[in-house]
């Protein structure tokens, strides 16, 4: 994944636990890189090693970290140069989710090594929708749940998300029931 992802993990850990904890995590992850460059593509393995090391150092599950990271990503990208991209992708939660594939297509024009997931909304109602998540990557389901919660914060909307189909359980793709209520 692009370095922006690893940098966001670094920033999240540093802001919540301090630089020393981050150094400890980086050491445990045994990376060959010291500084991440946002616009350079890195092997996914680096991100997974960081999350595993963070899990050991912080005493949190990898799923807890990934969910927290998903929430953090929404705020981080809005503040780190992608505010306009986020702004033009929707004024409310369902609109933003419907525009996610367009957002990734836009990023992919400038960054061809992007491997964007795909999000599809079905059964759209006043206060709920079904979100279908398809990805060439595995193990990021918790992050997606955090991302949707992060969007809830962004749009001042109460969100309740539950997984109703999982690839781990043999389904074709992950599916979530998203209930939302603007506050
Ligand atoms: F609900 O892959 C809200 O590297 C959501 O299965 C979900 O393949 C917001 F410059 C610039 C760059 C860079 C901008 F090239 C990414 F570096 C992308 C900014 C999306 C904002 C996807 C990151 C692919 C890297 C992936 C989970 C799950 C999507 C991460 C979250 C808005 C982003 O993001 C999976 C890669 C951006 C950029 C957003 C993503 C790659 C998302 C969301 N994805 C790179």
């Amino acid at each position: 994944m692009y370095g922006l992802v690893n940098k966001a993990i670094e920033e999240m850990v540093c802001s919540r636990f301090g630089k020393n904890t981050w150094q400890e995590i980086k050491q445990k992850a045994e990376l060959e890189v010291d500084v991440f460059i946002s616009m350079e593509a890195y092997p996914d393995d680096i991100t997974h090693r960081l999350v595993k090391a963070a899990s050991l150092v912080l005493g949190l599950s990898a799923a807890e970290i990934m969910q927290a990271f998903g929430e953090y990503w929404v705020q981080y990208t809005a503040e780190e140069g992608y505010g306009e991209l986020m702004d033009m992708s929707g004024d409310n939660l369902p609109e933003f989710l419907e525009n996610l594939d367009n957002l990734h297509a836009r990023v992919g024009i400038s960054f061809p090594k992007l491997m964007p997931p795909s999000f599809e909304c079905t059964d759209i109602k006043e206060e709920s929708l079904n979100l279908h998540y398809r990805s060439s990557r595995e193990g990021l389901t918790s992050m997606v749940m955090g991302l949707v919660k992060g969007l809830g914060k962004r749009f001042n909307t109460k969100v309740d998300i539950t997984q109703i189909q999982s690839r781990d359980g043999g389904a074709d793709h992950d599916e979530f029931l998203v209930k939302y209520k603007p506050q």
Side-chain angles (χ1 to χ4, degrees):
M1 292 206 263
Y2 275 95
L4 186 68
V5 173
N6 301 321
K7 279 187 71 162
I9 294 177
E10 174 174 355
E11 190 55 42
M12 179 178 77
V13 169
C14 285
S15 67
R16 292 180 189 173
F17 303 97
K19 279 199 168 128
N20 292 339
T21 303
W22 172 247
Q23 289 304 330
E24 207 182 315
I25 289 168
K26 228 171 42 169
Q27 218 161 40
K28 205 167 214 86
E30 297 182 66
L31 310 179
E32 305 83 64
V33 275
D34 191 49
V35 177
F36 297 112
I37 297 157
S38 293
M39 298 177 185
E40 197 168 294
Y42 294 85
D44 284 6
D45 176 59
I46 291 189
T47 308
H48 289 121
R49 266 152 67 179
L50 279 174
V51 173
K52 204 172 264 177
S55 160
L56 291 169
V57 171
L58 301 174
L60 299 165
S61 69
E64 286 172 313
I65 291 169
M66 288 310 275
Q67 174 145 346
F69 178 55
E71 276 196 68
Y72 186 78
W73 175 260
V74 173
Q75 163 206 337
Y76 178 81
T77 50
E79 288 167 2
E80 294 298 315
Y82 300 97
E84 206 176 329
L85 181 78
M86 299 290 275
D87 286 344
M88 62 196 232
S89 296
D91 296 326
N92 55 60
L93 178 73
E95 199 176 297
F96 196 99
L97 290 174
E98 287 221 274
N99 276 323
L100 264 172
D101 287 5
N102 294 323
L103 181 157
H104 285 111
R106 218 167 272 133
V107 176
I109 292 169
S110 314
F111 302 99
K113 286 182 181 160
L114 196 80
M115 285 169 45
S118 171
F119 293 91
E120 185 192 355
C121 301
T122 64
D123 309 83
I124 304 172
K125 305 196 179 91
E126 193 61 37
E127 293 188 349
S128 77
L129 57 77
N130 289 35
L131 180 66
H132 302 254
Y133 161 60
R134 295 174 175 88
S135 177
S136 56
R137 299 189 169 97
E138 285 177 52
L140 298 178
T141 304
S142 314
M143 183 181 177
V144 170
M145 295 182 82
L147 284 159
V148 174
K149 289 182 180 176
L151 287 174
K153 265 193 209 160
R154 173 176 172 85
F155 296 116
N156 200 23
T157 294
K158 226 179 129 201
V159 174
D160 181 83
I161 178 168
T162 46
Q163 188 165 8
I164 54 177
Q165 289 290 336
S166 87
R167 216 163 36 150
D168 287 345
D172 172 74
H173 61 272
D174 290 333
E175 182 178 347
F176 307 91
L177 174 61
V178 183
K179 295 184 188 165
Y180 48 88
K181 217 178 214 144
Q183 292 300 294

